[in-house]
Amino acid sequence: MTLIKTNYNRRSFLKVSALAGGGLMVGFNWACSPSENLRKAPSEWFDMNAFLSIADNGQVTIMSPNPEIGQNVKTSMPMLVAEELEVPWADVIVKQGLLDEGAFRRQVAGGSQSIRQGWKSLRMAGATAKQMLINAAAQKWGISPADCTAKNGIISGGDNKLSYGEIASLAATMEVPEDVTLKDPKDFTIIGTSQDNVDLESIISGKPTFGIDFEREGMLHAVVMRPPAFGMSLESYDDTETRAVTGVSDVIRFGDKIAILATNTWAGFKGKKALKANWKGKQKLENTDEHDRKMLKLLDTKSSKPKREDGNVGRAFAQADKVIEKVYEAPFLPHNTMEPMNFFADVTDSKVELIGPVQTPLRTRNSVAALLDRPREEVSVAMTRMGGGFGRRLYGDFALEAAEISSLAKRPVKVVFSREDDMTAGIYRPASKYKFRAAVKDGKITGYHLTGAGIGSSRSSWTRENWFPAGGIENYKVESHSLQSNITTGAWRAPITNFLAIAEQSFFDELATEMSVDAVQLRLDILERAKTNPVGKISYEPEKMIGVIKLAAEKGNWGKPETGVSQGFSCYYSHNTYVAEVAHVRMRDGNPFIEKMTTAVDCGIVVNPDAAINQVQGGVVDGIGHAMYGDFKFINGEPQAQNFNEYRLIRAAEAPKVDVHFVKNTNDPTGLGEPSLPPAGGALANGIAKATGTRLYKIPFVKQQITFG
């Protein structure tokens, strides 16, 4: 058990009426309660704290504070509350919380941190409410709270029993306890069990759940024409034909963009097609070929201040028996969420109402307030479910567009991107390149030198210099360079590591071959040094990485493949989680295909196992798909792909079976939405190398004349 002070975020536990304002209700969890048809409908609700309310019939409404982008936090975060509240999951109704920085902590979907950051505060919300219920019952019975227990929504004390619904009205008036005790993991009854997605029934039945579904009577649909190339600005336009399109109500210029307002999206898209615009160059119109040349040059440039330098790297390379050097390259990538960007805004003199799919509601609120020069208190944000995010919805540019258009039009509007808009308007994963050098002497790695280079003004480092193999190699150096660009870039699922891991793990596999040692054992030897006698600072736990490597090797039968199978290995630490993967590659008609991926994960306590497996499997498929096919270029600042006929994604028939194995422990949960992606491409590349003899150095792999079977 853990004793915890409730002043952790005490405002969250003030008995404010978090639900009284109505708000946007997305995805009621009625379907998860088999007793719904038998239970009397509630007549009154009592707010225990900002996270939950209890009805007089015993039902519990739990607010899920963080944005839901498919990572299942709308289910798993309320599970944490329900666990400590000691209420049956079948009695729980889940609602999406509104943005409330006073009541909730870190309402962000990004960095795979929702469960990790909410682990104690959400459980504390449930434990606090439970203690208030116990205190109320004890007061009613005239006994000590210490003589009372709570379980399955019932409080017992001696011969007395009360349901939560019967005592909720009194409990809501009780003082918030100064401290509460959290349960020991061995006593969990909800955490660690698989629960259905609370929005499942709404999703499969087509009920309005996502931002793209949102409608408001009287709103207009806004379709936006943006510059066709990065570096261009709007010179003039002719909207005569656009205004003649049935359903188009107005055309508004804002900055270098033009909004077509219409009564429906189809009219808006037709109006945009009819719009004639003249563009001029404002900045340099950039090209992918030029980016490649400049980044390759940066890889050969010595930085004035390395990110890290241990030992004497120069001497290690000078004295080496062998030096292995390889360069790895990756392009820009769009996010391509299933649901294109969209957002609703209603700007009036008294308020700014924002509704839609966004990963960063607080930042979006603040940005809109600054844009419109309005007090932040006048801006509200309600979050809908998102049809994917992968980092694209961190930035909220689409919400700013909606707010600005609504402000100019004096009407509620909903901005909707077409797929072409979504793929060409930014924001992209930055293109990057890495050069790895290793010095080998007497069969050991004696020197290691990594140089990274990437494109983008928002990031200065392209390496993770304190992660593996840091601490395990005596002479170790890491350098990083940035190339500035006017092409907008940002986070893309597992930023930086989504390609760095592929490059690093491919390099270590080739090192193992050059050194005639087992690929898994090479990594274990480095980690053993980092564990027992680390060189310099490390920001990972070698013991945990050793654990997942051994688990993946065991479950994947490393070194003992089935007949006709070639194995590739990869491991990586990111988002506080350790993942190791074994790719099982076969040949079909002379071409490689991945049959299975065995994955081992150490992410601490697994809150919702089925959902966790889905996250890992999705990350693996996403990782190998973009490694195989992901490619995106610019010519004169203009994106060279606009839709899926030009941008290849992995297809269902190409997705391998993904076996997932979790390290069982009672450590606090860590990230899970991203960590399985980084090692996937490396495992595949290494399996292909084993099967075909061809090493892969560029993404997409198909660039190197690899055809997948």
Side-chain angles (χ1 to χ4, degrees):
M1 294 185 294
T2 302
L3 185 69
I4 190 164
K5 294 289 184 183
T6 57
N7 61 6
Y8 185 79
N9 184 7
R10 197 166 179 81
R11 182 173 167 184
S12 298
F13 304 104
L14 298 178
K15 294 181 286 296
V16 296
S17 185
L19 300 178
L24 180 72
M25 299 179 183
V26 185
F28 287 80
N29 191 20
W30 299 105
C32 79
S33 177
S35 62
E36 283 306 324
N37 293 330
L38 304 176
R39 185 190 297 273
K40 180 182 177 182
S43 58
E44 192 170 4
W45 289 87
F46 305 97
D47 298 333
M48 303 303 297
N49 52 51
F51 290 91
L52 65 98
S53 294
I54 299 176
D56 55 6
N57 71 343
Q59 284 181 307
V60 178
T61 292
I62 299 178
M63 308 302 289
S64 183
N66 283 32
E68 174 60 68
I69 53 175
Q71 81 281 45
N72 209 48
V73 295
K74 192 175 175 183
T75 303
S76 54
M77 294 184 90
M79 286 174 66
L80 307 185
V81 179
E83 178 68 69
E84 297 290 348
L85 182 60
E86 290 284 8
V87 63
W89 183 246
D91 288 348
V92 171
I93 298 168
V94 174
K95 293 182 182 179
Q96 178 66 58
L98 303 175
L99 173 65
D100 187 339
E101 62 181 317
F104 303 126
R105 298 181 71 245
R106 196 185 180 276
Q107 286 184 274
V108 175
S112 299
Q113 295 296 299
S114 293
I115 293 295
R116 180 172 179 261
Q117 294 290 335
W119 176 244
K120 288 185 178 177
S121 60
L122 289 164
R123 292 169 61 205
M124 187 168 61
T128 301
K130 178 183 72 176
Q131 190 61 52
M132 291 164 66
L133 289 159
I134 288 174
N135 291 349
Q139 177 179 301
K140 185 178 181 68
W141 295 328
I143 62 176
S144 170
D147 295 328
C148 300
T149 60
K151 192 172 184 63
N152 292 325
I154 302 290
I155 302 166
S156 302
D159 295 329
N160 303 301
K161 285 191 177 184
L162 283 171
S163 72
Y164 283 3
E166 292 174 304
I167 198 64
S169 60
L170 178 59
T173 68
M174 304 297 291
E175 286 295 317
V176 177
E178 287 294 325
D179 50 56
V180 293
T181 300
L182 300 183
K183 295 171 69 173
D184 190 300
K186 67 179 176 58
D187 298 322
F188 289 160
T189 58
I190 295 176
I191 294 172
T193 65
S194 292
Q195 302 297 336
D196 288 344
N197 185 323
V198 296
D199 283 340
L200 183 62
E201 190 273 335
S202 295
I203 293 169
I204 63 177
S205 62
K207 293 177 181 176
T209 303
F210 299 91
I212 203 77
D213 300 324
F214 181 80
E215 297 283 341
R216 171 73 60 80
E217 186 176 352
M219 80 175 190
L220 293 174
H221 296 263
V223 175
V224 179
M225 177 177 280
R226 303 170 183 86
F230 290 89
M232 282 190 168
S233 61
L234 180 62
E235 188 170 35
S236 62
Y237 66 97
D238 181 354
D239 60 11
T240 305
E241 293 184 23
T242 297
R243 291 181 179 276
V245 173
T246 302
V248 171
S249 62
D250 203 356
V251 179
I252 298 175
R253 175 175 180 170
F254 62 113
D256 284 323
K257 304 173 185 178
I258 309 165
I260 298 92
L261 300 178
T263 55
N264 57 77
T265 52
W266 180 241
F269 290 142
K270 287 180 68 178
K272 179 181 174 182
K273 190 174 182 180
L275 187 62
K276 296 179 175 63
N278 296 312
W279 308 90
K280 63 180 179 180
K282 180 174 63 173
Q283 299 173 331
K284 183 174 180 177
L285 305 180
E286 300 179 11
N287 294 278
T288 293
D289 289 346
E290 183 180 9
H291 292 155
D292 288 341
R293 288 193 298 271
K294 288 182 175 179
M295 281 194 289
L296 288 171
K297 185 176 180 180
L298 286 174
L299 293 183
D300 293 326
T301 302
K302 184 177 180 179
S303 61
S304 58
K305 187 178 180 181
K307 304 297 291 185
R308 175 169 175 156
E309 188 167 13
D310 300 332
N312 191 325
V313 174
R315 184 172 61 192
F317 279 93
Q319 296 177 352
D321 297 329
K322 181 187 293 187
V323 173
I324 297 100
E325 178 178 312
K326 300 296 174 183
V327 173
Y328 300 83
E329 306 177 48
F332 289 96
L333 288 181
H335 295 80
N336 288 332
T337 60
M338 183 174 290
E339 177 192 23
M341 301 303 107
N342 64 88
F343 221 79
F344 171 86
D346 186 9
V347 178
T348 67
D349 291 340
S350 60
K351 65 176 178 60
V352 179
E353 183 184 14
L354 305 173
I355 299 173
V358 66
Q359 293 177 243
T360 50
L362 178 60
R363 184 165 76 177
T364 299
R365 190 275 309 270
N366 294 344
S367 297
V368 168
L371 174 71
L372 302 180
D373 194 23
R374 300 284 292 266
R376 292 186 302 174
E377 295 74 23
E378 291 183 2
V379 184
S380 66
V381 182
M383 295 160 276
T384 64
R385 190 179 182 91
M386 291 173 251
F390 313 119
R392 176 63 183 91
R393 288 188 159 100
L394 288 170
Y395 299 96
D397 50 291
F398 38 86
L400 268 71
E401 287 184 348
E404 187 169 3
I405 295 167
S406 176
S407 178
L408 294 170
K410 309 298 182 187
R411 293 283 300 274
V413 302
K414 178 176 158 186
V415 167
V416 178
F417 284 41
S418 66
R419 176 58 61 190
E420 289 78 8
D421 294 332
D422 202 61
M423 203 175 287
T424 61
I427 293 167
Y428 303 100
R429 182 188 82 169
S432 60
K433 301 184 190 299
Y434 293 97
K435 181 169 73 174
F436 291 83
R437 300 176 70 231
V440 178
K441 185 173 179 63
D442 299 329
K444 303 290 184 182
I445 300 173
T446 56
Y448 182 91
H449 185 188
L450 165 62
T451 305
I455 295 176
S457 58
S458 62
R459 192 175 294 277
S460 60
S461 179
W462 303 91
T463 59
R464 295 291 185 262
E465 56 274 3
N466 297 323
W467 297 1
F468 176 87
I473 299 174
E474 191 76 29
N475 304 294
Y476 175 85
K477 184 176 182 179
V478 178
E479 299 179 276
S480 182
H481 303 279
S482 285
L483 179 64
Q484 297 303 301
S485 172
N486 57 31
I487 296 170
T488 57
T489 58
W492 189 98
R493 194 174 188 178
I496 306 300
T497 63
N498 54 56
F499 178 58
L500 174 57
I502 295 176
E504 174 195 286
Q505 292 297 302
S506 296
F507 182 67
F508 272 97
D509 196 75
E510 191 161 358
L511 269 181
T513 300
E514 291 283 347
M515 296 167 64
S516 300
V517 298
D518 179 75
V520 167
Q521 192 59 49
L522 176 64
R523 292 166 173 85
L524 290 175
D525 290 344
I526 294 170
L527 288 164
E528 190 61 34
R529 168 67 192 274
K531 183 182 79 168
T532 59
N533 187 23
V535 182
K537 174 186 176 181
I538 58 174
S539 299
Y540 67 102
E541 298 178 61
E543 185 67 34
K544 289 184 178 179
M545 186 169 278
I546 290 170
V548 294
I549 288 174
K550 289 183 175 180
L551 181 59
E554 174 197 342
K555 298 298 184 181
N557 293 314
W558 175 256
K560 297 174 286 186
E562 297 178 9
T563 302
V565 171
S566 298
Q567 294 177 319
F569 184 83
S570 180
C571 61
Y572 209 73
Y573 161 79
S574 70
H575 302 88
N576 313 102
T577 292
Y578 300 80
V579 180
E581 298 175 354
V582 178
H584 306 260
V585 176
R586 287 186 183 272
M587 300 297 288
R588 178 189 293 149
D589 299 326
N591 298 315
F593 74 98
I594 180 168
E595 180 179 70
K596 183 174 73 171
M597 186 78 85
T598 302
T599 305
V601 182
D602 187 344
C603 60
I605 293 171
V606 178
V607 175
N608 190 343
D610 281 353
I613 290 170
N614 290 341
Q615 284 293 293
V616 174
Q617 291 174 330
V620 168
V621 174
D622 200 11
I624 65 174
H626 282 93
M628 291 160 65
Y629 298 115
D631 198 10
F632 204 78
K633 298 178 181 178
F634 293 88
I635 296 178
N636 293 326
E638 185 174 354
Q640 295 303 293
Q642 296 192 0
N643 212 316
F644 294 123
N645 61 319
E646 298 168 314
Y647 184 87
R648 175 79 151 84
L649 291 172
I650 190 171
R651 293 167 184 163
E654 297 170 310
K657 178 183 178 184
V658 181
D659 287 341
V660 181
H661 306 273
F662 293 105
V663 174
K664 291 181 173 59
N665 58 54
T666 56
N667 296 327
D668 289 356
T670 55
L672 201 54
E674 295 163 280
S676 67
L677 184 147
L684 175 59
N686 297 334
I688 290 172
K690 190 76 65 70
T692 66
T694 299
R695 289 283 175 185
L696 301 170
Y697 303 103
K698 293 183 179 182
I699 286 182
F701 294 160
V702 292
K703 266 188 173 180
Q704 295 182 243
Q705 286 72 55
I706 289 289
T707 301
F708 292 95

